[in-house]
Amino acid sequence: MHAGTILIAGATGTLGSRLARRLADGGKRVVAAVRPTSDLGRLGGRFKTLDVTGTDRELRAAFKRFGVDAVINCVADYGRDGAARSRIADANLRTPLRLLEAAHATGVSTFVNTHTSLPHDVSPYTLAKHQFCDWLAGATVPPTRINVVLEHFYGPGQDPSMFVAFLVDRFLADAPEIRTTKAEQRRDFVHIDDVLDAYECLLDNADRLGDGFHEFPVGGGPPPRLRDVIETVRRLTGNTRTEVAYGARPYRENEVMHAEADLRPMASLGWSPRVSLEDGLADVVAAARASLSNAKAA
């Protein structure tokens, strides 16, 4: 594991904040790269922050001041709120590029990027993600460049717009109806705890990997149909009232019908997913129920 400071970009999101806490709890020095407008609530006041909106000179100076030795990019703007393409490109392409350039200029040894398994033509988000991946693969520094191709991760505390969080919220609320596609797509669901283990494993093995561009898919195992995930969440919540209107929405253009990570590269480092889908979904449901109970008691 790196002895220097680990800079996490996107540290206010579900993945970035959980990763920051995991690494800090393990005794690592962590700095959160954030925007001035970011909600820092998930960080709990534990971490020093670096402003990613400063000039390139300010960014390089901050890297040197904190002694950054590794960068983990967890930035993700999905554009679900109708965001302009320029904002999506800024978050998913321009900001990581600026971090990569600062890492190059200050001698950072390792850059870990969080990539998507979806093809580039699915959305503006996936296009920007693939464009940055091309830049990272074509770079020569930092010497160790790791690309984490992350499948559909889930866990407690996710934004309600995310698939599992949305289902749990709607079923616990006894929503009258959930409108969806035929839900025959297969997605590779991986629990947040397994994802955090994967990042730690990659950092532990960065020296062993050595110079160059290294790609590691991360998923949870054989992918279930979305219909099966929906019905499992329904059962775990005890919902008997909500109507799921399968086929009420069309598949999106360029819909991916089967997504599954090749786990052999991660297995070669000693990592494998530990949390079953059933247990992981039960974890999310339990956390959501506890949150609702606490809110009612407040």
Side-chain angles (χ1 to χ4, degrees):
M1 180 74 80
H2 287 268
T5 297
I6 300 170
L7 177 76
I8 299 180
T12 58
T14 303
L15 174 58
S17 60
R18 291 281 300 270
L19 184 57
R21 294 197 298 272
R22 168 74 75 89
L23 295 176
D25 289 345
K28 307 308 170 188
R29 297 196 300 273
V30 176
V31 170
V34 300
R35 295 177 178 274
T37 56
S38 298
D39 181 354
L40 305 182
R42 282 184 169 138
L43 298 178
R46 291 183 58 181
F47 305 99
K48 294 180 179 179
T49 59
L50 181 155
D51 181 5
V52 295
T53 65
T55 66
D56 291 340
R57 178 178 294 180
E58 291 169 338
L59 201 57
R60 291 193 296 270
F63 269 55
K64 291 179 179 178
R65 183 170 69 253
F66 288 119
V68 175
D69 184 58
V71 174
I72 304 177
N73 175 42
C74 298
V75 174
D77 186 334
Y78 302 104
R80 291 198 178 100
D81 57 355
R85 295 189 176 210
S86 58
R87 193 191 85 182
I88 297 170
D90 183 65
N92 299 301
L93 175 59
R94 183 172 179 271
T95 294
L97 267 177
R98 294 186 67 232
L99 293 171
L100 182 63
E101 290 170 349
H104 177 185
T106 57
V108 168
S109 67
T110 303
F111 194 106
V112 182
N113 179 55
T114 306
H115 189 42
T116 176
S117 67
L118 294 173
H120 74 280
D121 58 355
V122 168
S123 69
Y125 157 74
T126 61
L127 175 60
K129 279 289 189 181
H130 279 271
Q131 288 173 335
F132 177 69
C133 183
D134 288 344
W135 280 97
L136 184 66
T140 56
V141 287
T144 303
R145 300 176 310 285
I146 299 171
N147 195 47
V148 180
V149 184
L150 186 59
E151 292 290 345
H152 193 106
F153 85 91
Y154 68 100
Q158 273 192 313
D159 185 276
S161 66
M162 302 299 284
F163 182 69
V164 170
F166 167 78
L167 291 176
V168 172
D169 177 76
R170 295 293 79 205
F171 279 132
L172 287 180
D174 281 334
E177 182 183 57
I178 295 175
R179 295 169 59 82
T180 183
T181 66
K182 292 181 180 179
E184 295 294 334
Q185 313 98 304
R186 291 186 179 271
R187 291 290 183 269
D188 193 340
F189 288 83
V190 56
H191 191 271
I192 182 68
D193 288 346
D194 284 330
V195 175
L196 299 180
D197 289 345
Y199 279 90
E200 281 198 303
C201 176
L202 290 167
L203 287 172
D204 286 340
N205 284 278
D207 291 340
R208 169 187 165 189
L209 293 174
D211 294 357
F213 176 79
H214 310 275
E215 192 157 88
F216 290 91
V218 172
R225 296 184 309 163
L226 293 189
R227 181 184 290 254
D228 296 330
V229 175
I230 292 169
E231 293 305 324
T232 299
V233 174
R234 180 205 291 275
R235 172 171 55 79
L236 290 170
T237 57
N239 182 292
T240 59
R241 298 182 181 180
T242 301
E243 174 71 22
V244 180
Y246 291 110
R249 296 184 183 278
Y251 291 124
R252 63 186 170 184
E253 188 177 357
N254 301 317
E255 182 70 54
V256 175
M257 296 303 295
H258 188 106
E260 183 173 5
D262 179 357
L263 300 183
R264 288 174 295 181
M266 284 299 305
S268 72
L269 301 180
W271 176 92
S272 61
R274 296 178 296 106
V275 182
S276 70
L277 183 59
E278 177 86 12
D279 289 345
L281 293 176
D283 178 41
V284 177
V285 171
R289 279 201 171 111
S291 179
L292 287 172
S293 177
N294 291 338
K296 290 178 181 178

